[in-house]
Amino acid sequence: MSRPIDHNKIVILTGAGVSAESGLQTFRDSDGLWNNYNVADVATPQAWQRNPQLVLDFYNHRRSEAAKAQPNAAHLAIAELEKNFDVTVITQNVDDLHERAGSSNVIHIHGELNKVRSTLDPELIYNIGDKPIKPGDTCDKGAQLRPHIVWFGEIPEHMDTASQHLKTAGKVLVIGTSLAVYPAAGLLKKARHHAEKIIVALDIERKPYGYTWLRGKAGDIVPHIVNCWLEGRRP
Ligand code: APR
């Protein structure tokens, strides 16, 4: 017997597009990261084995950029929702702009830029803020530190928890993701038929079944949706 929908529960699923207006590059837009870097050189376990310095440089640069960025109107509006609703943010993003905007329940399924972990014991995770790491920086057990990022070919984090949240949410708002990467994109199908489901993006490869697509910038559209929900209205 499936658990009932909780109409007070909102799940927000975000991708790089929600941070674009904060000045952080997305991945697959024309000026995206994957147009300037080869994924195979900076975002796979094989890349780490082959050239750890290049991988560390890539994430040190992104960590520094993310630390300089500020939350935008979409991040702030999402945090506002917590006034009236039980909100869980499930993000593919590795920046901490949701937390800095005030969201208190954020699940990072692709890791976090401001954390690093031991290459010997993955349970050994350290928060380094905006600091760079270099070859020779080691954990308490003497092993090299690596970015706490889920690389291609690795298993995303907290997926079962994320899936449970989707299954009971009365409202699901998907923001700024091309839905190009699984299993993250597969989370959308966990949402219930009767839940209110909206996706906000400039462009998507295909509209997910049962979702209303509002085409436009997150900073313009998300505050409007949030105001409607806080006033008890459909957007
Ligand atoms: N407002 C709303 N949507 C936007 C904006 C904006 N200002 N700018 C860009 N977008 C949309 C684009 O139209 C696109 O649909 O955001 C999406 C960005 O897609 P991607 O660059 O593919 O980013 P994302 O979906 O987060 O990528 C998923 O892929 O490389 C991996 O691990 C990486 O987490 C990432 C995953």
Side-chain angles (χ1 to χ4, degrees):
M1 174 66 179
S2 55
R3 288 165 61 183
I5 278 182
D6 176 351
H7 290 286
N8 192 51
K9 181 180 181 61
I10 297 180
V11 166
I12 311 279
L13 178 67
T14 62
V18 80
S19 298
E21 290 156 85
S22 296
L24 296 182
Q25 281 179 282
T26 63
F27 294 95
R28 294 173 184 81
D29 290 321
S30 53
D31 58 348
L33 280 167
W34 298 150
N35 291 338
N36 305 323
Y37 293 88
N38 180 338
V39 173
D41 292 339
V42 292
T44 66
Q46 296 74 14
W48 174 252
Q49 294 305 322
R50 190 168 55 244
N51 187 342
Q53 183 68 67
L54 182 62
V55 175
L56 291 175
D57 291 348
F58 176 64
Y59 288 99
N60 287 341
H61 170 68
R62 291 185 63 197
R63 186 176 309 110
S64 153
E65 291 298 297
K68 287 184 283 193
Q70 293 303 318
N72 63 51
H75 296 108
L76 295 168
I78 290 163
E80 276 291 291
L81 273 176
E82 291 186 11
K83 277 195 303 200
N84 293 7
F85 294 96
D86 164 18
V87 182
T88 301
V89 178
I90 297 166
T91 188
Q92 299 171 89
N93 299 342
V94 292
D95 62 60
D96 62 348
L97 293 175
H98 283 301
E99 291 90 338
R100 286 163 53 199
S103 287
S104 46
N105 302 317
V106 182
I107 297 173
H108 288 269
I109 58 175
H110 288 170
E112 298 177 69
L113 274 174
N114 57 18
K115 292 181 180 168
V116 291
R117 70 169 186 260
S118 165
T119 48
L120 179 67
D121 176 357
E123 301 300 312
L124 278 181
I125 299 171
Y126 305 86
N127 193 321
I128 57 165
D130 63 350
K131 301 285 174 293
I133 53 172
K134 56 189 183 305
D137 289 349
T138 56
C139 70
D140 295 334
K141 295 183 176 176
Q144 174 67 42
L145 290 171
R146 59 160 277 182
H148 184 53
I149 298 289
V150 177
W151 289 327
F152 285 90
E154 295 183 324
I155 298 168
E157 308 219 317
H158 315 300
M159 289 298 284
D160 289 345
T161 306
S163 179
Q164 288 312 314
H165 284 296
L166 265 295
K167 285 177 182 171
T168 53
K171 300 180 191 311
V172 177
L173 176 55
V174 180
I175 309 168
T177 177
S178 60
L179 302 174
V181 171
Y182 283 78
L187 285 171
L188 274 70
K189 284 205 290 289
K190 305 291 185 187
R192 304 287 285 282
H193 176 68
H194 297 299
E196 188 177 353
K197 300 182 286 290
I198 299 172
I199 178 165
V200 173
L202 289 179
D203 212 349
I204 47 178
E205 286 173 15
R206 43 150 191 71
K207 187 178 78 68
Y209 176 76
Y211 282 75
T212 303
W213 177 21
L214 299 182
R215 179 180 224 147
K217 288 189 167 186
D220 297 338
I221 298 181
V222 173
H224 166 71
I225 295 172
V226 167
N227 289 338
C228 290
W229 281 352
L230 289 173
E231 291 165 9
R233 292 185 289 118
R234 270 188 179 268

